Amino acid sequence: MLADFLQYDFLRHTFLTGILIGIIAPLLGTFIVVRRLSLIADALSHVTLAGIAFGMMMEKKFAVTFLTPFYSGMAFSVLGSILIEKLRGVYKAYQELAIPIIMSGGVGLSVIFISVADGFNTDLFNYLFGSVSAVSQNDFLLILVISIIIVGVVALFYKELFTLSFDEEHATVSGLHAKRIHLLFIVLTALVIAASIRIVGVLLVSALMTLPVAASMRLAKGFKQMMFLSVIFGELAVMIGLISGYYLSIPPGGTIVMVSIVILLLSIGIKKLRPNLSKVRESE
Amino acid sequence: MTIPVVSMENISFAYEEKTILENVNLEIPRGAFMGLVGPNGGGKTTLIKLILGLQQPNQGSIRILNQPVRQFRNWNKLGFVSQKANAFNRGFPATVFEVVSMGLTAKVGYLKFLTKKHKEKIMQAIDQVGMLEYARENVGNLSGGQQQRVFIARSLVNEPELLILDEPTVGVDQENVKRFYDLLHQLNEERGITLLLVTHDTGIMTEHATDLVCLNKTLHFHGEPEVYTSLSGEDLSRIYGHPVNIVTHNH
Ligand SMILES: Nc1ncnc2c1ncn2[C@@H]1O[C@H](COP(=O)(O)OP(=O)(O)OP(=O)(O)O)[C@@H](O)[C@H]1O
Ligand SMILES: [Mg+2]
């Protein structure tokens, strides 16, 4: 079943990229979910879409080729994330307001850029729902670098990210630089989203960050365990989703998300069974 | 005389135009168990925020461990359990061990990892509050009183000199409130930790506290708890601005 993925270059790059985003998306997703910021991923993915559309417009209308939609999407995503963090500072009591502001801004810009670039095409369809054939070698290398950075930063700043997510006031009192760490975190999130979009698509990228976490949350004892389980679930979803999407000719965004939902349902089912299981173990 | 842990001189503070504190002079002597009482909105939490450097006074000076609060950097010498501590996200999947480990985050510092020694300290702190058997449980599954113990352990892990608790027993049942105060008493007597405790329960203060302070914009009373509880109803309604009943506990 994997034969095609190993044989063809473009599929191999997709597959390797899939392995990477199966790690990094749920990894940051754990922090996003516990901080109740699930919608930020959606807002940022729409800003990324605006960036992608901007890149397409520049290519088509102005023959600018050095700025591929992938890079411009990433640039917009990072800028959008910084803007969200600033807006959250402005509306302290209504921090979630930053999300619809950025999200609608992203969609608005997308519409403008897309129509200037002569409207909808298959490329755009791939960006919306993901594609098994969209990852070039250069894209892959960039995503590899981003993944290394993300795993490194999360490992180095794990205790700060964890402490701040749990209790921001206490963390600040004890002397942590909440603002800087939030900013660092949201920029990382923007990078993950931009990196994942080629495979999962704009509309479904937030699902890959949150659904595996939602599933592992029900099973895990403690935060580290939840992180670990989330990555395993994310990886499973990406692998099964990519392969089945390829053979069924369905954009992988759809299949990956459906696999994630099945995992989520299973975890809810297991949780219901588990109390009985542990009782059995005790009586042995 | 030893240097007080906290000394506030002539403090005034306002949120925009609304004056919350006016001419407050307060010293917390080393080793004290100080109770802080006063009506809702009297400025107790605000006073704590000033001590913790979360707000700056409009007037007056604050010294923490003999350093001006602005220059004070040794924040892990102060432990803090917030009024909102048990309003945390109960679904947050963190074990007792993980929560207590957060107390060390700032102390250990950026780009450094917890060592075996740190982990021993964390277990010690959990032991001190009597939660050892729950160390691997998710904190969200514990009772309110148990959670408060965990939050105290999160401060204790830093071996603080001053522990500030803002109404820590709200929502904790009577039986556990008693055990909770016994724990505080023990921390104060045996470990010599100075305590500043905000509470509405003046009865229990007579049993444990060495000092009692009553705050309503200004300090209305500072002395021994026994003296406070012997104040007449009229004196108290002057302080509170409305009639009050004193709750007394006869154990
Ligand atoms: N962030 C804020 N902005 C504006 N006003 C505030 C703020 N926080 C508190 N206040 C006001 O300051 C006053 C004192 O509040 P504070 O929280 O210090 O009272 P408290 O003594 O702790 O009351 P309680 O017993 O209810 O906890 C209140 O009138 C409150 O409305
Ligand atoms: Mg208060």
Side-chain angles (χ1 to χ4, degrees):
Chain A
M1 239 172 108
L2 274 172
D4 281 4
F5 279 92
L6 299 177
Q7 192 175 352
Y8 300 112
D9 263 359
F10 71 95
L11 282 181
R12 199 169 59 232
H13 291 139
T14 305
F15 195 72
L16 294 174
T17 303
I19 292 179
L20 293 175
I21 65 171
I23 296 170
I24 57 178
L27 191 67
L28 287 193
T30 44
F31 294 106
I32 289 188
V33 169
V34 296
R35 287 180 58 200
R36 301 185 193 279
L37 292 178
S38 301
L39 288 172
I40 273 190
D42 261 319
L44 283 178
S45 67
H46 286 80
V47 174
T48 313
L49 177 65
I52 289 165
F54 178 76
M56 288 178 164
M57 180 185 79
M58 295 309 270
E59 256 174 12
K60 284 209 181 131
K61 288 282 153 185
F62 307 99
V64 177
T65 48
F66 61 90
L67 191 77
T68 69
F70 181 55
Y71 293 121
S72 57
M74 191 165 285
F76 270 60
S77 185
V78 170
L79 287 177
S81 70
I82 294 170
L83 214 59
I84 284 187
E85 207 44 41
K86 294 274 172 251
L87 277 174
R88 278 159 52 81
V90 174
Y91 292 101
K92 279 206 181 66
Y94 296 97
Q95 299 201 340
E96 69 279 7
L97 253 185
I99 294 167
I101 294 174
I102 293 295
M103 180 130 154
S104 51
V107 175
L109 279 176
S110 307
V111 170
I112 293 172
F113 293 145
I114 289 169
S115 62
V116 173
D118 286 341
F120 221 80
N121 55 24
T122 43
D123 250 10
L124 194 61
F125 185 83
N126 286 343
Y127 278 112
L128 286 180
F129 300 106
S131 156
V132 286
S133 56
V135 184
S136 70
Q137 182 164 13
N138 279 342
D139 292 352
F140 165 68
L141 289 176
L142 180 61
I143 292 171
L144 178 66
V145 172
I146 289 176
S147 302
I148 292 170
I149 292 174
I150 283 167
V151 172
V153 172
V154 169
L156 285 176
F157 290 92
Y158 171 77
K159 64 183 190 316
E160 284 82 10
L161 289 169
F162 176 52
T163 304
L164 264 177
S165 306
F166 184 74
D167 184 345
E168 181 157 350
E169 182 182 46
H170 191 270
T172 313
V173 169
S174 68
L176 287 186
H177 301 93
K179 273 197 179 152
R180 285 179 224 172
I181 296 168
H182 282 328
L183 189 64
L184 175 73
F185 175 74
I186 200 159
V187 169
L188 291 185
T189 306
L191 289 173
V192 168
I193 288 170
S196 309
I197 267 178
R198 309 248 54 186
I199 291 181
V200 223
V202 167
L203 297 178
L204 297 170
V205 63
S206 70
L208 183 61
M209 301 191 86
T210 52
L211 291 186
V213 183
S216 61
M217 199 169 223
R218 302 193 52 91
L219 304 174
K221 268 224 175 108
F223 195 78
K224 278 208 174 126
Q225 211 183 77
M226 176 173 86
M227 234 172 176
F228 184 72
L229 270 182
S230 302
V231 169
I232 291 188
F233 290 160
E235 204 59 69
L236 265 177
V238 170
M239 291 299 111
I240 299 175
L242 260 184
I243 294 168
S244 58
Y246 172 68
Y247 284 103
L248 301 172
S249 302
I250 298 173
T255 47
I256 290 173
V257 168
M258 288 325 289
V259 176
S260 304
I261 287 180
V262 170
I263 292 174
L264 179 63
L265 292 177
L266 284 177
S267 81
I268 294 173
I270 288 175
K271 180 77 179 189
K272 290 232 166 88
L273 285 176
R274 214 162 61 160
N276 304 333
L277 285 179
S278 54
K279 258 180 216 143
V280 173
R281 224 177 287 143
E282 268 164 32
S283 65
E284 269 169 6
Chain B
M1 217 197 106
T2 54
I3 297 153
V5 181
V6 174
S7 76
M8 308 180 94
E9 248 173 65
N10 240 330
I11 294 297
S12 296
F13 177 80
Y15 281 113
E16 275 127 42
E17 281 108 73
K18 199 168 149 209
T19 306
I20 310 294
L21 299 173
E22 207 167 21
N23 283 324
V24 174
N25 289 288
L26 179 66
E27 286 194 350
I28 307 179
R30 192 171 291 272
F33 186 152
M34 182 178 279
L36 176 57
V37 298
N40 292 128
K44 303 180 293 296
T45 302
T46 308
L47 186 87
I48 288 174
K49 285 189 175 160
L50 292 175
I51 295 175
L52 294 172
L54 292 173
Q55 297 283 0
Q56 272 68 48
N58 303 101
Q59 191 196 307
S61 76
I62 303 176
R63 295 177 78 81
I64 316 271
L65 299 170
N66 207 22
Q67 260 188 8
V69 69
R70 278 172 184 283
Q71 280 143 43
F72 191 73
R73 287 290 168 271
N74 229 339
W75 288 112
N76 46 51
K77 294 267 174 232
L78 306 198
F80 172 50
V81 178
S82 144
Q83 191 168 12
K84 295 176 293 183
N86 56 6
F88 74 102
N89 171 6
R90 278 182 162 253
F92 196 110
T95 63
V96 167
F97 182 90
E98 285 178 324
V99 171
V100 175
S101 78
M102 293 186 215
L104 287 174
T105 300
K107 191 179 190 177
V108 172
Y110 291 110
L111 306 179
K112 297 206 186 80
F113 297 97
L114 294 180
T115 62
K116 214 174 140 204
K117 213 166 177 185
H118 291 129
K119 287 177 186 161
E120 279 164 15
K121 271 196 174 168
I122 293 167
M123 291 311 275
Q124 263 173 26
I126 296 174
D127 194 18
Q128 265 168 34
V129 298
M131 291 295 292
L132 211 48
E133 59 178 310
Y134 298 96
R136 301 286 161 195
E137 291 297 321
N138 275 347
V139 74
N141 298 337
L142 304 177
S143 73
Q146 290 173 324
Q147 285 168 353
Q148 288 295 22
R149 287 168 172 263
V150 174
F151 292 125
I152 290 193
R154 178 176 63 174
S155 294
L156 288 182
V157 74
N158 278 315
E159 299 170 349
E161 293 186 26
L162 170 66
L163 186 55
I164 300 175
L165 304 119
D166 195 353
E167 298 190 42
T169 54
V170 174
V172 178
D173 66 60
Q174 211 51 51
E175 170 70 12
N176 280 304
V177 166
K178 184 170 172 347
R179 288 181 49 194
F180 188 80
Y181 281 109
D182 289 342
L183 168 66
L184 294 185
H185 198 95
Q186 183 198 340
L187 291 174
N188 179 241
E189 294 259 292
E190 289 167 23
R191 310 255 333 264
I193 297 175
T194 310
L195 294 177
L196 175 62
L197 172 73
V198 176
T199 177
H200 290 288
D201 190 346
T202 47
I204 210 135
M205 286 287 90
T206 50
E207 211 175 313
H208 296 290
T210 56
D211 295 63
L212 197 91
V213 172
C214 179
L215 180 71
N216 187 9
K217 204 166 170 189
T218 61
L219 281 192
H220 287 268
F221 177 88
H222 183 177
E224 289 175 9
E226 288 78 11
V227 180
Y228 180 81
T229 46
S230 68
L231 289 178
S232 70
E234 280 162 43
D235 293 330
L236 288 174
S237 43
R238 206 166 16 82
I239 294 173
Y240 281 81
H242 60 81
V244 278
N245 299 315
I246 303 179
V247 204
T248 40
H249 296 252
N250 299 309
H251 294 284

